[in-house]
Amino acid sequence: MSASLSEMEARGGVSGYYTNKETLEKVSERKSELDEEKGKTLNEISGIIQNLISTINSKKGTLAPVIQELRTLRSRASDLESEYHDKKRLYDATMVGIDSDAVQLEQEVKGYRQDISNDQSRFHYLSTMINLTDINQERILQEMKSYIGGDDLIEVQQKARGFKTYRDYYNKKIAEQENHGRNLREQQKDIKVG
């Protein structure tokens, strides 16, 4: 049947008409199917969009108080941050003053410690000098008692030492040294002459 149809078309000057018509009908049928699928897809997408819009609107209602609270908290945080920076500047300025005072006090303490050290040294020196003076004074008293006499304990000490007073003792030593020096000079003369 297809061959006879082709002949008739060729005689009428419209060859391939039937084939084209069939192809066109198939394309048209396929287009209808695609349009139907598109419609279904669009309906599905429209349903999804409606669900999303509904969800967004419901979330907006739920989030509106939270967003309002967030705005309030952001404003409060900004105020607190400003207050923090003001107080930090005040703190830093105060700390600079305190540090300066601390350095000054440390220098004063260092000076006082040096004064204490100097005073302690002077105290020990003076204590030693007082002790030496006391010892010398005691010796002087002993020497005076020895010179004056009349004290039995001192007379026992004099006998044990072998001299009455230190004055006598040193005068005796001086005389001995002078005699010794004289003898040495005479020996020197004898050696030079001899």
Side-chain angles (χ1 to χ4, degrees):
M1 173 163 149
S2 156
S4 69
L5 206 53
S6 293
E7 280 178 29
M8 280 177 28
E9 289 174 352
R11 275 186 267 153
V14 274
S15 56
Y17 172 76
Y18 182 74
T19 310
N20 285 342
K21 183 182 172 191
E22 276 186 9
T23 305
L24 190 58
E25 284 176 3
K26 286 180 186 177
V27 167
S28 177
E29 195 177 301
R30 181 69 184 136
K31 183 184 177 281
S32 292
E33 289 173 7
L34 287 174
D35 284 346
E36 193 177 316
E37 284 179 25
K38 267 192 209 177
K40 287 180 185 176
T41 304
L42 283 174
N43 285 339
E44 288 175 10
I45 289 173
S46 177
I48 290 170
I49 289 173
Q50 286 301 320
N51 284 339
L52 286 175
I53 289 172
S54 166
T55 304
I56 287 171
N57 287 336
S58 117
K59 295 292 180 183
K60 273 184 185 178
T62 306
L63 291 176
V66 174
I67 290 171
Q68 184 60 37
E69 185 180 350
L70 178 63
R71 286 183 184 141
T72 305
L73 290 174
R74 280 184 181 160
S75 173
R76 177 76 177 126
S78 176
D79 293 346
L80 287 174
E81 188 173 354
S82 174
E83 183 180 343
Y84 165 78
H85 287 299
D86 291 344
K87 290 188 177 185
K88 175 100 170 80
R89 276 192 292 278
L90 179 63
Y91 169 81
D92 290 342
T94 303
M95 286 308 295
V96 166
I98 288 172
D99 289 344
S100 174
D101 291 347
V103 167
Q104 182 180 356
L105 288 173
E106 284 175 11
Q107 290 173 348
E108 283 182 31
V109 167
K110 187 176 179 183
Y112 292 145
R113 285 185 176 154
Q114 185 62 44
D115 290 347
I116 289 170
S117 176
N118 292 342
D119 289 346
Q120 285 177 338
S121 295
R122 182 155 172 76
F123 169 78
H124 291 301
Y125 170 76
L126 291 175
S127 293
T128 303
M129 294 306 293
I130 289 170
N131 288 338
L132 289 174
T133 302
D134 289 346
I135 290 169
N136 287 335
Q137 187 174 1
E138 184 62 31
R139 280 188 186 166
I140 291 169
L141 286 173
Q142 291 297 322
E143 185 72 10
M144 285 175 55
K145 286 180 183 178
S146 296
Y147 196 71
I148 295 171
D151 190 346
D152 294 337
L153 181 61
I154 292 176
E155 288 177 10
V156 170
Q157 289 176 348
Q158 289 171 345
K159 286 181 185 176
R161 299 191 293 220
F163 56 89
K164 184 175 178 179
T165 63
Y166 281 102
R167 183 171 142 184
D168 294 340
Y169 173 74
Y170 288 123
N171 283 336
K172 180 180 173 187
K173 286 289 185 185
I174 290 170
E176 287 175 1
Q177 290 299 319
E178 286 175 352
N179 286 335
H180 183 64
R182 238 181 269 124
N183 289 337
L184 288 175
R185 281 191 293 278
E186 286 176 14
Q187 287 176 2
Q188 186 181 17
K189 267 188 212 175
D190 290 344
I191 292 173
K192 286 183 182 178
V193 171

